[in-house]
């Protein structure tokens, strides 16, 4: 009930599939964007910190600046014991 799941999907087609499949699921937010902008989306949802991150991002194939930004923001947003 208190758990919120946020899925950030960059691929438009996969985003559309997920939106349709999980329509109406409470506390699930599916966002079409880059994970680089996680801080912006958390702020819009009034979420300060997160407990867990599950990621399938191909960090090795992303541009260094992008992967560094995502990792830095993820570290800042995780709770102390997250």
């Amino acid at each position: 009930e208190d758990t919120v799941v946020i899925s950030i999907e960059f691929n438009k087609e996969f985003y559309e599939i997920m939106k349709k499949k999980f329509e109406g699921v409470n506390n699930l937010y599916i966002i079409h964007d880059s994970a680089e902008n996680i801080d912006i989306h958390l702020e819009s949802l009034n979420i300060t910190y997160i407990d867990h991150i599950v990621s399938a991002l191909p960090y090795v194939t992303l541009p260094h600046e992008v992967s560094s930004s995502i990792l830095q923001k993820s570290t800042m947003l995780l709770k102390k014991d997250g």
Side-chain angles (χ1 to χ4, degrees):
E1 186 172 292
D2 292 336
T3 300
V4 173
V5 175
I6 301 167
S7 174
I8 300 177
E9 178 55 50
F10 189 75
N11 180 289
K12 179 74 170 173
E13 186 176 337
F14 191 55
Y15 161 79
E16 294 291 345
I17 291 168
M18 289 179 59
K19 270 301 248 195
K20 184 175 179 181
K21 180 172 179 123
F22 297 107
E23 184 178 2
V25 174
N26 291 333
N27 296 337
L28 172 63
Y29 299 93
I30 302 171
I31 300 166
H32 178 243
D33 199 358
S34 168
E36 272 187 288
N37 298 320
I38 187 171
D39 54 335
I40 295 166
H41 296 292
L42 291 177
E43 185 178 334
S44 74
L45 295 168
N46 206 23
I47 297 172
T48 308
Y49 293 103
I50 51 181
D51 295 315
H52 307 286
I53 295 175
V54 177
S55 175
L57 287 173
Y59 287 104
V60 177
T61 62
L62 294 173
H64 177 71
E65 301 80 27
V66 173
S67 60
S68 290
S69 175
I70 294 169
L71 290 170
Q72 182 179 29
K73 287 180 182 183
S74 298
T75 301
M76 289 178 6
L77 293 167
L78 273 172
K79 285 185 178 177
K80 183 180 177 190
D81 295 325

Coordinates of all heavy atoms in Angstrom, one line a residue:
E1 N 0.8 -1.2 0.0 CA 0.0 0.0 0.0 C 0.9 1.3 0.0 O 0.6 2.2 -0.7 CB -0.9 0.0 1.2 CG -1.9 1.1 1.2 CD -2.9 1.0 2.3 OE1 -3.7 0.0 2.2 OE2 -2.9 1.8 3.2
D2 N 1.9 1.3 0.8 CA 2.8 2.4 0.8 C 3.9 2.4 -0.2 O 4.6 3.3 -0.4 CB 3.5 2.5 2.2 CG 2.5 2.9 3.3 OD1 1.4 3.5 3.0 OD2 2.8 2.5 4.5
T3 N 4.1 1.2 -0.9 CA 5.1 1.0 -1.8 C 4.8 1.7 -3.1 O 3.7 1.6 -3.6 CB 5.4 -0.5 -2.1 OG1 5.8 -1.1 -0.9 CG2 6.5 -0.7 -3.1
V4 N 5.7 2.5 -3.7 CA 5.6 3.1 -4.9 C 6.6 2.6 -5.9 O 7.8 2.4 -5.5 CB 5.7 4.7 -4.8 CG1 5.7 5.3 -6.2 CG2 4.7 5.2 -3.9
V5 N 6.2 2.2 -7.1 CA 7.2 1.7 -8.1 C 7.2 2.7 -9.2 O 6.1 3.0 -9.7 CB 6.8 0.3 -8.6 CG1 7.7 -0.2 -9.7 CG2 6.8 -0.7 -7.4
I6 N 8.4 3.1 -9.6 CA 8.6 4.0 -10.7 C 9.4 3.3 -11.7 O 10.5 2.8 -11.5 CB 9.3 5.3 -10.2 CG1 8.5 5.9 -9.1 CG2 9.5 6.2 -11.4 CD1 9.2 7.0 -8.4
S7 N 8.9 3.2 -12.9 CA 9.6 2.6 -14.0 C 9.9 3.7 -15.1 O 9.0 4.4 -15.6 CB 8.8 1.5 -14.7 OG 9.4 1.0 -15.9
I8 N 11.2 3.9 -15.3 CA 11.6 4.9 -16.3 C 12.1 4.2 -17.6 O 13.0 3.4 -17.5 CB 12.7 5.9 -15.8 CG1 12.1 6.6 -14.5 CG2 13.1 6.9 -16.9 CD1 13.2 7.5 -13.9
E9 N 11.4 4.4 -18.7 CA 11.7 3.6 -19.9 C 12.0 4.6 -21.0 O 11.1 5.5 -21.3 CB 10.5 2.7 -20.3 CG 10.7 2.0 -21.5 CD 12.0 1.2 -21.6 OE1 12.2 0.4 -20.6 OE2 12.7 1.3 -22.5
F10 N 13.1 4.5 -21.6 CA 13.5 5.4 -22.7 C 12.9 5.0 -24.0 O 12.6 5.8 -24.8 CB 15.1 5.4 -22.8 CG 15.6 6.4 -23.7 CD1 15.6 7.8 -23.4 CD2 16.1 6.1 -25.0 CE1 16.1 8.7 -24.2 CE2 16.6 7.0 -25.8 CZ 16.6 8.4 -25.5
N11 N 12.8 3.7 -24.3 CA 12.2 3.2 -25.5 C 10.7 3.4 -25.6 O 10.0 2.9 -24.8 CB 12.5 1.7 -25.6 CG 12.0 1.1 -26.9 OD1 10.8 0.9 -27.1 ND2 13.0 0.7 -27.8
K12 N 10.3 4.3 -26.6 CA 8.9 4.7 -26.7 C 8.0 3.5 -26.9 O 6.9 3.4 -26.3 CB 8.8 5.7 -27.9 CG 7.4 6.2 -28.1 CD 6.9 7.1 -27.1 CE 5.6 7.8 -27.5 NZ 5.0 8.6 -26.5
E13 N 8.4 2.5 -27.7 CA 7.5 1.4 -28.0 C 7.3 0.5 -26.7 O 6.2 0.2 -26.4 CB 8.1 0.5 -29.1 CG 7.2 -0.6 -29.6 CD 7.8 -1.4 -30.7 OE1 8.7 -0.8 -31.5 OE2 7.4 -2.5 -30.9
F14 N 8.4 0.3 -26.0 CA 8.3 -0.5 -24.8 C 7.5 0.2 -23.7 O 6.7 -0.3 -23.0 CB 9.7 -0.9 -24.3 CG 9.6 -1.9 -23.2 CD1 9.0 -3.1 -23.3 CD2 10.3 -1.7 -22.0 CE1 8.9 -4.1 -22.3 CE2 10.2 -2.6 -20.9 CZ 9.6 -3.8 -21.1
Y15 N 7.7 1.5 -23.7 CA 6.9 2.4 -22.7 C 5.4 2.2 -23.0 O 4.6 2.1 -22.1 CB 7.4 3.8 -22.9 CG 6.4 4.8 -22.3 CD1 6.3 5.1 -21.0 CD2 5.5 5.5 -23.2 CE1 5.4 6.0 -20.5 CE2 4.6 6.5 -22.7 CZ 4.6 6.7 -21.3 OH 3.6 7.6 -20.9
E16 N 5.0 2.3 -24.3 CA 3.6 2.2 -24.6 C 3.0 0.9 -24.3 O 1.9 0.8 -23.8 CB 3.4 2.5 -26.1 CG 3.8 3.9 -26.6 CD 2.8 4.9 -26.1 OE1 1.7 4.6 -25.6 OE2 3.2 6.1 -26.2
I17 N 3.8 -0.2 -24.5 CA 3.4 -1.5 -24.1 C 3.2 -1.6 -22.6 O 2.1 -2.1 -22.1 CB 4.4 -2.6 -24.6 CG1 4.4 -2.7 -26.1 CG2 4.1 -4.0 -24.0 CD1 5.6 -3.5 -26.7
M18 N 4.1 -1.1 -21.8 CA 4.0 -1.2 -20.4 C 2.8 -0.3 -19.9 O 2.1 -0.8 -19.0 CB 5.3 -0.7 -19.7 CG 6.5 -1.7 -19.9 SD 8.0 -1.1 -19.2 CE 7.5 -0.9 -17.5
K19 N 2.7 0.9 -20.4 CA 1.5 1.7 -20.0 C 0.2 1.0 -20.2 O -0.7 1.0 -19.3 CB 1.5 3.0 -20.9 CG 2.3 4.2 -20.3 CD 1.9 4.6 -19.0 CE 1.2 6.0 -19.0 NZ 1.1 6.6 -17.7
K20 N 0.1 0.3 -21.3 CA -1.2 -0.4 -21.6 C -1.4 -1.6 -20.7 O -2.4 -1.8 -20.2 CB -1.2 -0.8 -23.1 CG -2.5 -1.4 -23.6 CD -2.5 -1.7 -25.0 CE -3.7 -2.4 -25.4 NZ -3.8 -2.7 -26.9
K21 N -0.3 -2.4 -20.6 CA -0.4 -3.6 -19.8 C -0.7 -3.3 -18.3 O -1.4 -4.1 -17.7 CB 0.9 -4.4 -19.9 CG 0.9 -5.7 -19.1 CD 2.2 -6.5 -19.4 CE 2.1 -7.8 -18.6 NZ 2.2 -8.9 -19.4
F22 N -0.1 -2.3 -17.7 CA -0.2 -2.0 -16.3 C -1.1 -0.8 -16.0 O -1.1 -0.3 -14.9 CB 1.2 -1.8 -15.7 CG 2.1 -3.0 -15.8 CD1 3.1 -3.0 -16.7 CD2 1.8 -4.1 -15.0 CE1 3.9 -4.1 -16.8 CE2 2.6 -5.2 -15.1 CZ 3.6 -5.3 -16.0
E23 N -2.0 -0.5 -16.9 CA -2.9 0.6 -16.7 C -3.8 0.3 -15.5 O -4.3 -0.8 -15.3 CB -3.8 0.8 -18.0 CG -4.8 1.9 -17.9 CD -5.6 2.1 -19.2 OE1 -5.4 1.3 -20.1 OE2 -6.4 3.0 -19.2
G24 N -3.9 1.3 -14.6 CA -4.8 1.1 -13.5 C -4.2 0.5 -12.3 O -4.8 0.4 -11.2
V25 N -2.9 0.1 -12.4 CA -2.2 -0.4 -11.2 C -1.8 0.7 -10.3 O -1.2 1.7 -10.6 CB -0.9 -1.2 -11.6 CG1 -0.1 -1.7 -10.4 CG2 -1.3 -2.4 -12.5
N26 N -2.3 0.6 -9.0 CA -2.0 1.6 -8.0 C -0.6 1.7 -7.7 O 0.1 0.7 -7.6 CB -2.8 1.3 -6.7 CG -4.3 1.5 -6.9 OD1 -4.7 2.3 -7.8 ND2 -5.1 0.8 -6.1
N27 N -0.1 2.9 -7.4 CA 1.3 3.2 -7.0 C 2.3 2.8 -8.0 O 3.5 2.6 -7.6 CB 1.6 2.6 -5.6 CG 0.7 3.2 -4.5 OD1 0.2 4.3 -4.7 ND2 0.5 2.4 -3.5
L28 N 2.0 2.7 -9.3 CA 2.9 2.4 -10.3 C 3.0 3.5 -11.3 O 1.9 3.9 -11.8 CB 2.6 1.1 -11.1 CG 3.4 0.8 -12.3 CD1 4.9 0.6 -12.0 CD2 2.8 -0.4 -13.0
Y29 N 4.1 4.1 -11.5 CA 4.3 5.2 -12.4 C 5.3 4.8 -13.5 O 6.4 4.4 -13.2 CB 4.9 6.5 -11.7 CG 4.0 6.9 -10.6 CD1 4.1 6.5 -9.3 CD2 2.9 7.8 -10.8 CE1 3.3 6.9 -8.2 CE2 2.1 8.3 -9.8 CZ 2.3 7.8 -8.5 OH 1.4 8.2 -7.5
I30 N 4.8 4.8 -14.7 CA 5.6 4.4 -15.9 C 5.9 5.7 -16.6 O 5.0 6.4 -17.1 CB 4.9 3.4 -16.7 CG1 4.6 2.1 -15.9 CG2 5.8 3.1 -17.9 CD1 3.7 1.1 -16.6
I31 N 7.2 6.0 -16.7 CA 7.6 7.3 -17.3 C 8.4 7.1 -18.5 O 9.3 6.3 -18.5 CB 8.4 8.1 -16.2 CG1 7.5 8.4 -15.0 CG2 8.9 9.4 -16.8 CD1 8.3 8.8 -13.7
H32 N 8.1 7.9 -19.6 CA 8.9 7.8 -20.8 C 9.9 8.9 -20.8 O 9.6 10.1 -20.9 CB 8.0 8.0 -22.0 CG 8.8 7.9 -23.3 ND1 8.8 9.0 -24.1 CD2 9.6 7.0 -23.9 CE1 9.6 8.7 -25.2 NE2 10.1 7.5 -25.0
D33 N 11.2 8.5 -20.5 CA 12.2 9.5 -20.3 C 13.6 8.8 -20.1 O 13.6 7.5 -20.1 CB 12.0 10.5 -19.2 CG 12.8 11.8 -19.2 OD1 13.6 11.9 -20.2 OD2 12.6 12.6 -18.3
S34 N 14.6 9.5 -20.0 CA 15.9 9.0 -19.6 C 16.1 8.9 -18.1 O 15.6 9.8 -17.4 CB 17.0 9.9 -20.2 OG 18.3 9.5 -19.7
A35 N 16.7 7.9 -17.6 CA 17.0 7.7 -16.2 C 17.8 8.9 -15.7 O 17.8 9.1 -14.5 CB 17.7 6.4 -15.9
E36 N 18.4 9.6 -16.6 CA 19.2 10.8 -16.1 C 18.3 11.8 -15.4 O 18.8 12.6 -14.7 CB 19.8 11.5 -17.4 CG 21.1 11.0 -17.8 CD 21.7 11.9 -18.9 OE1 21.1 11.8 -20.0 OE2 22.6 12.7 -18.6
N37 N 17.0 11.8 -15.7 CA 16.1 12.7 -15.2 C 15.3 12.2 -14.0 O 14.2 12.8 -13.6 CB 15.1 13.2 -16.3 CG 15.9 13.9 -17.4 OD1 16.8 14.6 -17.1 ND2 15.5 13.6 -18.6
I38 N 15.8 11.2 -13.3 CA 15.1 10.6 -12.2 C 14.8 11.6 -11.1 O 13.7 11.6 -10.5 CB 15.8 9.4 -11.6 CG1 15.0 8.7 -10.6 CG2 17.2 9.7 -11.1 CD1 15.5 7.3 -10.1
D39 N 15.7 12.5 -10.9 CA 15.5 13.5 -9.8 C 14.3 14.4 -10.1 O 13.5 14.7 -9.2 CB 16.8 14.3 -9.6 CG 17.3 14.9 -10.9 OD1 17.1 14.4 -12.0 OD2 18.0 16.0 -10.7
I40 N 14.1 14.8 -11.4 CA 13.0 15.6 -11.8 C 11.7 14.9 -11.5 O 10.7 15.5 -11.0 CB 13.2 16.0 -13.2 CG1 14.4 16.9 -13.4 CG2 11.9 16.7 -13.7 CD1 14.8 17.1 -14.9
H41 N 11.6 13.6 -11.9 CA 10.4 12.9 -11.8 C 10.1 12.6 -10.3 O 8.9 12.6 -9.9 CB 10.5 11.6 -12.6 CG 10.5 11.9 -14.1 ND1 9.5 12.4 -14.8 CD2 11.6 11.7 -14.9 CE1 9.9 12.6 -16.0 NE2 11.1 12.2 -16.1
L42 N 11.1 12.3 -9.5 CA 10.9 12.1 -8.1 C 10.3 13.3 -7.4 O 9.4 13.3 -6.6 CB 12.1 11.6 -7.4 CG 12.6 10.2 -7.7 CD1 13.9 9.9 -7.0 CD2 11.6 9.2 -7.4
E43 N 10.9 14.5 -7.8 CA 10.4 15.7 -7.3 C 9.0 16.0 -7.6 O 8.2 16.4 -6.8 CB 11.3 16.9 -7.8 CG 10.9 18.2 -7.1 CD 11.9 19.3 -7.6 OE1 13.0 19.1 -8.0 OE2 11.4 20.5 -7.6
S44 N 8.6 15.7 -8.9 CA 7.2 15.9 -9.3 C 6.2 15.0 -8.6 O 5.1 15.3 -8.4 CB 7.1 15.7 -10.8 OG 7.1 14.4 -11.2
L45 N 6.7 13.8 -8.1 CA 5.9 12.9 -7.3 C 6.0 13.1 -5.8 O 5.5 12.4 -5.0 CB 6.3 11.5 -7.6 CG 6.1 11.0 -9.1 CD1 6.8 9.7 -9.3 CD2 4.6 10.9 -9.3
N46 N 6.8 14.2 -5.4 CA 7.0 14.5 -4.0 C 7.7 13.4 -3.3 O 7.4 13.1 -2.1 CB 5.7 14.9 -3.4 CG 5.9 15.9 -2.2 OD1 6.9 16.6 -2.2 ND2 4.9 15.9 -1.3
I47 N 8.7 12.8 -3.9 CA 9.5 11.7 -3.3 C 10.9 12.3 -3.1 O 11.5 12.7 -4.1 CB 9.5 10.5 -4.2 CG1 8.1 9.9 -4.3 CG2 10.4 9.4 -3.6 CD1 7.9 8.8 -5.3
T48 N 11.4 12.2 -1.9 CA 12.7 12.8 -1.6 C 13.8 11.8 -1.8 O 14.8 12.1 -2.3 CB 12.7 13.3 -0.1 OG1 11.6 14.2 0.0 CG2 14.0 14.1 0.1
Y49 N 13.6 10.6 -1.2 CA 14.6 9.5 -1.3 C 13.9 8.2 -1.7 O 12.7 8.0 -1.5 CB 15.3 9.3 0.1 CG 16.1 10.5 0.5 CD1 15.6 11.4 1.5 CD2 17.3 10.7 0.0 CE1 16.4 12.5 1.8 CE2 18.1 11.8 0.3 CZ 17.6 12.7 1.3 OH 18.4 13.8 1.7
I50 N 14.7 7.3 -2.2 CA 14.2 6.0 -2.6 C 15.0 4.9 -1.9 O 16.1 5.0 -1.4 CB 14.4 5.8 -4.1 CG1 15.8 6.1 -4.6 CG2 13.4 6.7 -4.9 CD1 16.0 6.0 -6.1
D51 N 14.2 3.8 -1.7 CA 14.8 2.6 -1.0 C 15.6 1.7 -1.8 O 16.7 1.2 -1.4 CB 13.7 1.8 -0.3 CG 12.9 2.6 0.7 OD1 13.5 3.2 1.5 OD2 11.6 2.5 0.7
H52 N 15.2 1.5 -3.0 CA 15.9 0.5 -3.9 C 15.9 1.0 -5.4 O 15.0 1.7 -5.8 CB 15.2 -0.9 -3.9 CG 15.0 -1.4 -2.5 ND1 16.0 -1.9 -1.7 CD2 13.9 -1.5 -1.7 CE1 15.5 -2.3 -0.6 NE2 14.2 -2.0 -0.5
I53 N 16.9 0.5 -6.1 CA 16.9 0.7 -7.5 C 17.2 -0.6 -8.2 O 18.1 -1.4 -7.8 CB 18.0 1.7 -7.9 CG1 17.8 3.1 -7.4 CG2 18.2 1.7 -9.5 CD1 18.9 4.1 -7.6
V54 N 16.3 -1.0 -9.1 CA 16.5 -2.2 -10.0 C 16.7 -1.6 -11.4 O 15.9 -0.9 -11.9 CB 15.3 -3.1 -9.9 CG1 15.5 -4.3 -10.8 CG2 15.0 -3.6 -8.5
S55 N 17.8 -2.0 -12.0 CA 18.2 -1.4 -13.3 C 18.7 -2.5 -14.2 O 19.4 -3.4 -13.8 CB 19.2 -0.3 -13.1 OG 19.7 0.2 -14.3
A56 N 18.3 -2.3 -15.5 CA 18.8 -3.1 -16.5 C 19.5 -2.3 -17.6 O 19.7 -2.6 -18.7 CB 17.7 -3.9 -17.2
L57 N 20.0 -1.1 -17.1 CA 20.7 -0.2 -18.1 C 22.0 -0.7 -18.5 O 22.8 -1.3 -17.7 CB 20.9 1.2 -17.4 CG 19.7 2.1 -17.2 CD1 20.0 3.3 -16.4 CD2 19.1 2.5 -18.6
P58 N 22.3 -0.6 -19.8 CA 23.6 -1.1 -20.3 C 24.7 0.0 -20.1 O 25.1 0.7 -21.0 CB 23.3 -1.3 -21.7 CG 22.3 -0.3 -22.1 CD 21.4 -0.2 -20.8
Y59 N 25.1 0.2 -18.8 CA 26.0 1.3 -18.5 C 27.2 1.3 -19.3 O 27.7 2.4 -19.7 CB 26.4 1.2 -17.0 CG 25.3 1.6 -16.1 CD1 24.5 0.7 -15.3 CD2 24.9 3.0 -15.9 CE1 23.5 1.1 -14.5 CE2 23.9 3.4 -15.0 CZ 23.2 2.4 -14.3 OH 22.2 2.8 -13.5
V60 N 27.7 0.2 -19.7 CA 29.0 0.1 -20.5 C 28.8 0.7 -21.9 O 29.7 1.3 -22.4 CB 29.5 -1.3 -20.6 CG1 30.7 -1.5 -21.4 CG2 29.7 -1.9 -19.2
T61 N 27.6 0.6 -22.4 CA 27.4 1.1 -23.8 C 26.9 2.5 -23.8 O 26.8 3.1 -24.9 CB 26.4 0.2 -24.5 OG1 25.1 0.2 -23.9 CG2 26.9 -1.2 -24.6
L62 N 26.5 3.1 -22.6 CA 26.1 4.5 -22.6 C 27.3 5.4 -22.7 O 28.4 5.0 -22.2 CB 25.3 4.7 -21.3 CG 24.0 4.0 -21.1 CD1 23.5 4.2 -19.7 CD2 23.0 4.4 -22.1
P63 N 27.1 6.6 -23.2 CA 28.1 7.6 -23.1 C 28.6 7.8 -21.6 O 27.7 7.8 -20.7 CB 27.5 8.9 -23.7 CG 26.4 8.4 -24.5 CD 25.9 7.1 -23.9
H64 N 29.8 8.0 -21.4 CA 30.4 8.1 -20.1 C 29.6 9.2 -19.2 O 29.3 9.0 -18.1 CB 31.9 8.4 -20.1 CG 32.5 8.6 -18.8 ND1 32.6 7.5 -17.9 CD2 32.9 9.7 -18.1 CE1 33.2 8.0 -16.8 NE2 33.3 9.3 -16.9
E65 N 29.4 10.3 -19.9 CA 28.7 11.4 -19.1 C 27.3 11.0 -18.7 O 26.9 11.4 -17.6 CB 28.6 12.7 -20.0 CG 29.9 13.2 -20.6 CD 30.4 12.4 -21.8 OE1 29.6 11.8 -22.5 OE2 31.6 12.4 -21.9
V66 N 26.6 10.2 -19.5 CA 25.2 9.8 -19.2 C 25.3 8.8 -18.0 O 24.6 8.9 -17.0 CB 24.5 9.2 -20.4 CG1 23.2 8.6 -20.0 CG2 24.4 10.2 -21.5
S67 N 26.1 7.8 -18.1 CA 26.2 6.7 -17.1 C 26.7 7.4 -15.8 O 26.1 7.1 -14.7 CB 27.1 5.6 -17.5 OG 28.4 6.0 -17.8
S68 N 27.6 8.3 -15.8 CA 28.1 8.9 -14.6 C 27.0 9.8 -14.0 O 26.8 9.7 -12.7 CB 29.3 9.9 -14.9 OG 30.4 9.1 -15.3
S69 N 26.2 10.5 -14.8 CA 25.1 11.3 -14.2 C 24.1 10.4 -13.6 O 23.6 10.7 -12.5 CB 24.5 12.1 -15.4 OG 23.4 12.8 -14.9
I70 N 23.7 9.3 -14.2 CA 22.7 8.4 -13.6 C 23.2 7.8 -12.3 O 22.5 7.8 -11.3 CB 22.3 7.3 -14.6 CG1 21.6 7.9 -15.9 CG2 21.5 6.2 -14.0 CD1 21.5 6.9 -17.0
L71 N 24.4 7.4 -12.3 CA 25.0 6.7 -11.1 C 25.1 7.8 -10.0 O 24.8 7.5 -8.8 CB 26.3 6.1 -11.4 CG 26.2 4.8 -12.3 CD1 27.6 4.4 -12.7 CD2 25.5 3.7 -11.5
Q72 N 25.5 9.0 -10.3 CA 25.7 10.0 -9.3 C 24.3 10.4 -8.7 O 24.2 10.5 -7.5 CB 26.3 11.3 -9.9 CG 26.6 12.4 -8.9 CD 27.2 13.6 -9.5 OE1 27.1 13.9 -10.7 NE2 28.0 14.3 -8.7
K73 N 23.3 10.6 -9.5 CA 22.0 10.9 -9.0 C 21.4 9.8 -8.2 O 20.8 10.0 -7.2 CB 21.1 11.3 -10.2 CG 21.4 12.7 -10.8 CD 20.4 13.0 -11.9 CE 20.8 14.4 -12.5 NZ 19.9 14.8 -13.6
S74 N 21.6 8.5 -8.7 CA 21.1 7.4 -8.0 C 21.7 7.3 -6.6 O 21.0 7.0 -5.6 CB 21.4 6.1 -8.7 OG 20.8 6.1 -10.0
T75 N 23.0 7.6 -6.5 CA 23.6 7.5 -5.2 C 23.1 8.6 -4.2 O 22.9 8.4 -3.1 CB 25.2 7.7 -5.4 OG1 25.7 6.7 -6.2 CG2 25.9 7.7 -4.0
M76 N 22.8 9.8 -4.8 CA 22.3 10.9 -4.0 C 20.9 10.6 -3.5 O 20.5 11.0 -2.4 CB 22.3 12.2 -4.8 CG 23.7 12.8 -5.0 SD 23.8 14.3 -6.0 CE 22.2 14.8 -6.3
L77 N 20.1 9.9 -4.3 CA 18.7 9.7 -4.1 C 18.4 8.5 -3.2 O 17.3 8.4 -2.6 CB 17.9 9.6 -5.4 CG 17.9 10.9 -6.2 CD1 17.3 10.6 -7.6 CD2 17.0 12.0 -5.5
L78 N 19.3 7.6 -3.1 CA 19.1 6.4 -2.3 C 19.2 6.8 -0.8 O 20.1 7.5 -0.4 CB 20.2 5.3 -2.6 CG 19.9 4.4 -3.7 CD1 21.2 3.5 -3.9 CD2 18.7 3.5 -3.4
K79 N 18.3 6.2 0.0 CA 18.4 6.4 1.4 C 19.7 5.8 2.0 O 20.3 5.0 1.3 CB 17.2 5.6 2.1 CG 15.9 6.3 2.0 CD 14.8 5.6 2.8 CE 13.5 6.4 2.7 NZ 12.4 5.7 3.3
K80 N 20.0 6.2 3.2 CA 21.3 5.8 3.7 C 21.6 4.3 3.7 O 22.7 3.9 3.3 CB 21.4 6.3 5.2 CG 22.7 6.0 5.8 CD 22.8 6.4 7.2 CE 24.1 6.0 7.8 NZ 24.2 6.2 9.2
D81 N 20.6 3.5 4.0 CA 20.7 2.0 3.9 C 20.1 1.4 2.7 O 19.8 0.2 2.7 CB 20.2 1.4 5.2 CG 20.9 1.8 6.4 OD1 22.2 2.0 6.3 OD2 20.3 2.0 7.5
G82 N 19.9 2.2 1.7 CA 19.3 1.7 0.4 C 20.2 1.0 -0.4 O 21.4 0.8 -0.2

